[in-house]
Amino acid sequence: MSQEQGITPRATDFSAWYNDAVMRAELADYSPVRGCMVIRPNGYAIWELMQGALDGMFKETGHRNAYFPLFIPQSFLEKEAEHVEGFAPEVATVTRAGGKDLEEPLVVRPTSETIIYDSFAKWIHSYRDLPLLINQWANIVRWEMRTRLFLRTTEFLWQEGHTAHATDEDAEREARRMLGVYRRFDEEWMAMPVLTGVKTDSEKFAGALRTYAVEALMQDNKSIQAGTSHHLGQNFARAFGVQFQTAEGGLDYAWNTSWGVSTRLVGGLVMTHGDDVGIVCPPRLAPVQVVVVPIYRSDEERAAVGAAAGEAARVLRAAGLRVELDVREGMKPGAKYYEWEGRGVPLRLEVGPKDVARGQVFAARRTGGKAPIPMAGLAEGVKAALDEIQAGLYEAARARREAATRRGVSKDELVEMMAGPGGFAYGGYCGGVECETAIKDATKATVRVLPDEEFRSSPAPARCVWCGKPSVIEAVGAKAY
Ligand SMILES: [Zn+2]
């Protein structure tokens, strides 16, 4: 990709478009280490805003941050049979350090259940110690052969919540509550519509009782998991001896949950809102929400325009907005526009001599549309425009998803849909793993979730899409990232 060529249109090659859009916005770069990526300042700034929003919500719901080691004794992973089986193929192991072979190899964390529950066993003694609500912000390593910037990399950043509870019901409530937090973040911050539900047994987290997930449809009609929350039951508590004295004086194992989202969400943001010009940041997650560009020809104009542009930037910053004032010399306004558009800045304010005379700025939305905003009441006008852009992005994404959703599909329709446009296919499901596997083999689609009640079809489908036996639950299938 070069500036002259522009970026690959989405319709031509969505995956090439994605890489071009990420590179043009300077969100990330390739690294000399295969499978790894460099997150550049523009990309990291989006992640920081995501972190800030999520961290606030975790703390509001009573969680505290902590940090556990990057290295996990190999024997820890082996204590939970399903867990080690699920993660073994993608684990990186340190066998030599300090100039000699290690007595016990150390695994580079692929997830931290084991090392965290080892600590929980030391910290939890009585029902009074519960619930224990911990979150960790960390990097994770899972060996990947085929990598995509943000979407699939050997090392990535995430948060992982880990909690312990006295009862099954408490753990269930927590797993559900955090799924709700992710949904709220996805919808209200990312402007990304989602559906929620439970994973089938074959798609659940290795070692969990149940896995809940939030799924969002990207513009190429493939689904991305945008948050996952696991009810771990007592599996890990048994493996690590997390026991507590109950209120009645007995002894019981704690009930655990874990839940997480990662830098993958940055990729989700790009694929939800981007257009053929590049990325589009929803205002609430835009590192730069407003860019102010002065436009002038003479030195005289420059003084007046510069003062007005500076004043506009000052007023907006004072109102708490993230503002960039672009006064770079020797660069035409058009070139500046091109750069800020590629970075997905939602609102550009142009200030020319005529605008100064009229006591206004000219607002150009990244999503289309231009209108003046009076300098008197500038902050209110800009905030209203940003709110409209945020809401508009959500609505556009929701409309795209609905257009790519089909309910009550037959076997033939499912095959046709997955061979063609893709999208969310709702259909009846007998609950048999044979049908799930056969669907995956034939269509490359997987069961994304067994949707929660509010997303289910009415009436419920009567027959399994694949085998025609009575349906026990509705399923949503899609190809996925
Ligand atoms: Zn079936």
Side-chain angles (χ1 to χ4, degrees):
M1 173 216 124
S2 73
Q3 181 160 326
E4 294 71 39
Q5 290 166 330
I7 71 176
T8 309
R10 287 163 296 174
T12 306
D13 181 346
F14 191 80
S15 147
W17 166 82
Y18 174 80
N19 285 333
D20 289 351
V22 166
M23 297 304 269
R24 187 178 165 198
E26 298 184 348
L27 301 184
D29 207 349
Y30 295 100
S31 104
V33 183
R34 188 169 163 226
C36 294
M37 69 183 281
V38 175
I39 304 178
R40 299 184 67 174
N42 291 349
Y44 203 82
I46 295 175
W47 176 238
E48 280 180 317
L49 289 163
M50 290 178 167
Q51 280 187 302
L54 287 163
D55 202 62
M57 288 191 255
F58 298 158
K59 284 171 181 162
E60 270 169 27
T61 42
H63 303 84
R64 299 176 71 199
N65 286 332
Y67 189 79
F68 295 82
L70 167 69
F71 300 116
I72 301 176
Q74 195 170 44
S75 58
F76 277 33
L77 236 62
E78 288 159 2
K79 284 188 185 183
E80 215 289 335
E82 279 185 30
H83 192 63
V84 68
E85 199 189 317
F87 280 98
E90 45 190 7
V91 154
T93 308
V94 180
T95 56
R96 191 170 167 80
K100 52 185 181 186
D101 292 339
L102 297 179
E103 270 177 43
E104 181 179 358
L106 295 171
V107 162
V108 183
R109 68 176 156 231
T111 181
S112 300
E113 277 75 9
T114 58
I115 196 146
I116 289 182
Y117 300 144
D118 179 67
S119 287
F120 277 17
K122 290 189 274 182
W123 300 343
I124 295 169
H125 306 288
S126 142
Y127 68 93
R128 290 187 203 87
D129 300 323
L130 299 172
L132 180 56
L133 308 174
I134 296 289
N135 177 61
Q136 161 167 277
W137 290 98
N139 57 339
I140 287 294
V141 167
R142 294 179 187 173
W143 219 251
E144 291 287 355
M145 286 304 148
R146 283 167 300 166
T147 57
R148 300 281 315 274
L149 296 169
F150 289 111
L151 300 171
R152 192 170 287 278
T153 48
T154 286
E155 183 188 11
F156 57 89
L157 306 182
W158 81 351
Q159 59 71 217
E160 48 183 321
H162 292 276
T163 68
H165 306 265
T167 65
D168 186 355
E169 296 72 35
D170 287 353
E172 177 67 15
R173 203 175 304 122
E174 168 77 2
R176 274 287 178 185
R177 177 169 71 157
M178 299 322 287
L179 191 78
V181 163
Y182 291 146
R183 177 182 181 178
R184 205 181 116 205
F185 173 77
D186 289 339
E187 291 179 346
E188 295 180 12
W189 292 77
M190 293 193 59
M192 188 168 78
V194 294
L195 55 96
T196 60
V198 65
K199 291 281 185 189
T200 59
D201 277 351
S202 58
E203 297 279 333
K204 75 178 185 187
F205 178 76
L209 206 60
R210 267 189 296 288
T211 288
Y212 297 106
V214 177
E215 295 279 330
L217 201 65
M218 302 293 100
Q219 289 186 55
D220 60 346
N221 292 339
K222 282 165 77 175
S223 185
I224 198 169
Q225 187 174 286
T228 175
S229 181
H230 318 292
H231 183 337
L232 301 174
Q234 293 176 307
N235 296 344
F236 286 92
R238 284 181 200 282
F240 287 86
V242 186
Q243 275 185 305
F244 68 99
Q245 198 106 49
T246 63
E248 295 74 33
L251 204 57
D252 198 4
Y253 288 103
W255 297 79
N256 295 115
T257 79
S258 66
W259 27 274
V261 293
S262 73
T263 35
R264 224 177 180 216
L265 287 180
V266 178
L269 182 151
V270 171
M271 292 193 293
T272 301
H273 302 302
D275 60 19
D276 287 345
V277 175
I279 74 162
V280 178
C281 285
R284 295 187 82 180
L285 292 174
V288 177
Q289 295 171 303
V290 183
V291 59
V292 183
V293 182
I295 303 161
Y296 51 84
R297 288 202 182 82
S298 65
D299 282 352
E300 241 181 328
E301 282 181 357
R302 181 176 150 189
V305 161
E311 175 62 8
R314 191 194 62 75
V315 165
L316 296 175
R317 283 186 188 129
L321 295 168
R322 296 183 288 275
V323 181
E324 197 77 45
L325 175 61
D326 190 350
V327 291
R328 284 176 292 179
E329 302 274 348
M331 193 174 178
K332 292 213 166 97
K336 292 181 179 178
Y337 300 170
Y338 181 83
E339 188 176 313
W340 295 110
E341 280 169 1
R343 281 174 59 178
V345 174
L347 197 64
R348 177 177 78 229
L349 301 183
E350 305 166 8
V351 186
K354 279 183 190 159
D355 300 309
V356 175
R358 288 178 189 148
Q360 68 180 34
V361 298
F362 214 73
R365 299 184 182 196
R366 175 65 181 78
T367 47
K370 280 187 163 197
I373 301 177
M375 278 294 280
L378 178 67
E380 294 70 24
V382 164
K383 281 183 173 173
L386 291 174
D387 286 348
E388 273 181 39
I389 295 169
Q390 181 86 25
L393 286 171
Y394 180 84
E395 269 316 308
R398 206 187 59 82
R400 267 197 306 270
R401 181 188 73 183
E402 292 310 302
T405 294
R406 283 178 78 177
R407 290 179 181 270
V409 292
S410 67
K411 186 174 181 174
D412 289 348
E413 283 166 347
L414 176 67
V415 170
E416 199 178 301
M417 191 174 168
M418 293 308 154
F424 279 145
Y426 285 66
Y429 178 43
C430 64
V433 70
E434 302 79 15
C435 283
E436 194 182 354
T437 310
I439 289 170
K440 193 173 174 178
D441 291 345
T443 68
K444 292 190 180 127
T446 47
V447 175
R448 301 318 301 156
V449 282
L450 308 175
D452 286 333
E453 198 169 351
E454 68 170 286
F455 300 101
R456 287 181 206 155
S457 309
S458 177
R463 301 270 158 201
C464 175
V465 162
W466 209 254
C467 67
K469 286 183 196 151
S471 169
V472 296
I473 184 120
E474 190 170 25
V476 182
K479 290 199 227 174
Y481 279 95

